[in-house]
Amino acid sequence: MADNKNGREAQAQNEERRQRERAITEELERADEPEPPVDPTELAYFETELESLEFPATAADVVATVGDHEIESADGTYTVADLLPDAEVESFESPAEVRTRVQRPTVAGAMKRVVEAADEHQSASFGASQRDGYERTFRELRAIDADDDDEGIRAIAHWIIERIHEKETLPGSRDVRRQAAKFCRSNGYSVRNDEWLGI
C-alpha cells in the first residue's frame, strides 16, 4: 500500500478487522463452543456497514439502519431484523458487540423473540446477568441438539414467552436452565451435573 493518508487508513482498518477476528476466535476458544455458523469474513463486512451508526446504539437503531442486510449462515440466510429485537431496551456499545450477537443466528432469533415479549410488558425487564444467562442456556441447547433443527431452543424460548405473558415477569435464569435440562433429559440428551444445564 502507498505510504499516504489513504494507505495508512486502509492499513489501520485492516489491523482493526484482524484484531476483531482474533478477539472473536479467542472468545470462542475460552468459551469452549463450536464455531459460529456465520463466516467471519461476512461478519467483518457486516461490521463495516455498522460504522454509519453512532454507538452506543439501541437494537431498534441497528434494525432501522441495517435491518434489511442479509447474513448468510450454514443454517440459512437471515436479515438483521430477523436476529435483533426492534426494541429500545436492548443496546450495544460497539459494532463488534452487534457482530457477536448475530454470529449465532438461531440463538439471536430466540433472544429477539424473548426481548420483544419482555418489552411488551414493562414489568418484565432484563438485568444484564439474567440476559446473559438466557443466552448461555440457548447456546448450550444449540450445542446439544444442533442436529435436531434446534427444537430445544424453540421450546425453551416459547416457554419463556408463555411465562412472560402469564405472569408479566421474566422467569429466573435458574428456572430457564432447569426447564432446558428437563427438555434435554426428556428427549434423550444426557446432561451432567457439572454442566451449565446440570441443575
Side-chain angles (χ1 to χ4, degrees):
M1 283 184 203
D3 189 18
N4 57 31
K5 183 178 179 188
N6 289 341
R8 288 189 296 275
E9 286 177 359
Q11 285 178 332
Q13 287 175 348
N14 287 339
E15 179 57 38
E16 285 175 15
R17 180 184 49 75
R18 284 192 295 273
Q19 284 177 349
R20 288 190 299 259
E21 288 174 358
R22 278 193 300 271
I24 287 172
T25 301
E26 288 168 8
E27 178 186 326
L28 289 171
E29 289 170 356
R30 279 193 309 269
D32 193 28
E33 297 174 357
E35 183 71 20
V38 179
D39 184 288
T41 306
E42 178 157 352
L43 287 171
Y45 172 71
F46 166 64
E47 195 172 333
T48 62
E49 291 203 357
L50 295 172
E51 290 173 2
S52 63
L53 275 166
E54 187 175 323
F55 285 87
T58 67
D61 293 336
V62 175
V63 169
T65 305
V66 293
D68 293 336
H69 178 85
E70 291 186 342
I71 295 176
E72 289 185 35
S73 77
D75 301 328
T77 301
Y78 302 85
T79 65
V80 172
D82 293 333
L83 305 177
L84 297 180
D86 191 2
E88 300 287 328
V89 294
E90 184 126 87
S91 64
F92 302 97
E93 294 299 316
S94 68
E97 203 173 312
V98 179
R99 170 187 172 152
T100 300
R101 186 69 53 81
V102 301
Q103 71 184 353
R104 291 182 179 82
T106 309
V107 172
M111 285 305 301
K112 167 194 165 68
R113 291 177 52 219
V114 169
V115 170
E116 287 178 345
D119 194 39
E120 290 174 18
H121 299 279
Q122 295 305 314
S123 59
S125 59
F126 271 113
S129 64
Q130 186 177 30
R131 193 209 177 288
D132 291 346
Y134 281 25
E135 188 168 359
R136 179 160 181 197
T137 299
F138 287 138
R139 287 196 317 262
E140 294 291 329
L141 286 167
R142 169 78 178 146
I144 287 173
D145 72 340
D147 295 331
D148 290 338
D149 298 323
D150 298 313
E151 180 186 350
I153 293 175
R154 285 196 307 277
I156 299 308
H158 181 72
W159 180 82
I160 295 169
I161 292 166
E162 278 188 342
R163 292 282 301 269
I164 291 170
H165 289 304
E166 287 170 10
K167 302 185 182 238
E168 296 195 5
T169 188
L170 288 158
S173 176
R174 196 169 183 79
D175 292 334
V176 172
R177 288 166 61 192
R178 190 173 287 116
Q179 188 67 23
K182 188 192 300 184
F183 169 87
C184 290
R185 290 177 178 131
S186 68
N187 285 278
Y189 300 108
S190 67
V191 177
R192 296 191 327 257
N193 288 339
D194 62 343
E195 295 175 330
W196 175 258
L197 299 179
I199 289 184

